[in-house]
Amino acid sequence: MSLGQQLAPHLPFLRRYGRALTGSQTEGDRYVRATLEAIVSAPEEFPKDVDPRLGLYRTFQAIWSSAHIDDDRFPGEASSDPEAIARARLSRIAPLSRQALLLTAMEGFTVEDAAYLIDVSDDEIDALVSDALSEIEQQTRARVLVIEDEPIIAMDIETIVRDLGHEVTGVAVTRDEAVALAMEDRPGLVLADIQLADDSSGIDAVKDILAQFNVPVIFITAFPERLLTGERPEPTFLITKPFQRSTVKAAISQALFFDQSSVPAG
């Protein structure tokens, strides 16, 4: 099997990581593209002694680290107000902490693998993750709409949201109910399942809401590869079912971290 064939199944998830790390589909995809270009131009330098997925993320990390030595932006990327806010917040959080959080909580790497990817000791990973969550939670607070038709899952998500210090504006189980709740009490974040109770779509519900106002959205699905196709628009933040509580916390923290409407938490 060629190297390209070995890496192909992991690319949608690397793209997810890239956009969660940067808060932007465009910028995240640029890092992934630069990673692939580096591999194609020098395949002999691709790590041979590790799993292909680890080697792929390791190459991405090298690109990310080299691009962020002097500047928080990808070279050539124009600045905008939301990006300026994100960079200001980033300046108060060690980059390694955020990477450790996303690699373990969202991408599912072990502590040992995450340590290899960001070149720290195993003992440092837990401390880095704890630092990242603490810093991000101190910087953001939001009112959250949950779109989820499974009662147990909805209750679990509610608990996670409240534990993070956010307020839940409501829980919707259908497309129409989600839109009605959003219009009645405008949220600062939406957590949306894909398949809803009456066979309506959470994606359609989100499209209806975004037609009225802008709000960061986190999608929840058992089939993330169906939404990470390379076609636009794609979700910036995506949680895979079944999920870990730490994954939901990481996604919420990152979504709010890059949203200009979130406010400092007390």
Side-chain angles (χ1 to χ4, degrees):
M1 185 181 295
S2 69
L3 180 59
Q5 290 174 314
Q6 294 179 62
L7 298 181
H10 307 299
L11 291 179
F13 302 98
L14 181 66
R15 294 178 63 234
R16 174 179 67 181
Y17 174 64
R19 68 190 57 185
L21 189 63
T22 62
S24 162
Q25 177 175 329
T26 300
E27 188 172 355
D29 285 354
R30 286 192 182 190
Y31 279 101
V32 173
R33 184 164 57 251
T35 298
L36 296 178
E37 290 172 351
I39 294 172
V40 170
S41 64
E44 70 282 357
E45 296 181 9
F46 187 82
K48 301 294 194 303
D49 56 345
V50 298
D51 179 84
R53 181 176 183 239
L54 269 179
L56 177 64
Y57 276 71
R58 176 80 171 193
T59 305
F60 178 96
Q61 289 296 134
I63 298 293
W64 166 267
S65 298
S66 64
H68 277 69
I69 292 176
D70 298 316
D71 193 352
D72 282 329
R73 292 173 295 167
F74 192 90
E77 179 74 8
S79 177
S80 67
D81 289 343
E83 290 170 348
I85 291 172
R87 288 197 301 277
R89 289 174 172 170
L90 279 169
S91 69
R92 298 194 291 274
I93 296 180
L96 284 181
S97 296
R98 295 180 52 248
Q99 292 170 60
L101 170 66
L102 291 174
L103 288 170
T104 55
M106 182 173 290
E107 297 306 309
F109 284 107
T110 65
V111 168
E112 293 77 12
D113 287 345
Y116 165 77
L117 290 173
I118 62 177
D119 200 21
V120 300
S121 69
D122 294 357
D123 292 339
E124 291 179 80
I125 292 295
D126 287 338
L128 287 170
V129 170
S130 178
D131 288 346
L133 284 173
S134 177
E135 290 293 332
I136 291 174
E137 288 163 13
Q138 290 175 18
Q139 294 185 40
T140 58
R141 180 177 59 202
R143 304 171 73 252
V144 182
L145 170 63
V146 177
I147 307 174
E148 171 61 63
D149 66 322
E150 292 288 343
I152 300 300
I153 296 177
M155 289 175 60
D156 196 21
I157 293 174
E158 276 194 90
T159 300
I160 295 170
V161 169
R162 297 186 195 280
D163 285 349
L164 288 173
H166 309 302
E167 177 186 349
V168 176
T169 63
V171 177
V173 299
T174 67
R175 172 185 180 178
D176 290 343
E177 185 179 0
V179 175
L181 284 174
M183 296 303 104
E184 177 183 339
D185 192 354
R186 181 175 296 194
L189 173 68
V190 174
L191 278 168
D193 191 7
I194 303 301
Q195 187 66 42
L196 302 179
D198 60 348
D199 290 329
S200 60
S201 167
I203 296 176
D204 290 335
V206 166
K207 287 180 179 178
D208 292 343
I209 293 170
L210 293 179
Q212 301 300 318
F213 59 91
N214 289 324
V215 59
V217 178
I218 300 172
F219 279 108
I220 305 172
T221 176
F223 305 100
E225 63 276 7
R226 294 182 182 178
L227 294 178
L228 297 174
T229 62
E231 300 175 358
R232 287 174 168 77
E234 289 183 329
T236 299
F237 300 99
L238 191 62
I239 296 173
T240 303
K241 285 184 174 180
F243 56 76
Q244 300 291 325
R245 293 172 66 88
S246 59
T247 303
V248 180
K249 289 182 178 181
I252 290 174
S253 297
Q254 287 297 114
L256 294 177
F257 187 76
F258 287 101
D259 179 55
Q260 67 185 108
S261 64
S262 59
V263 298

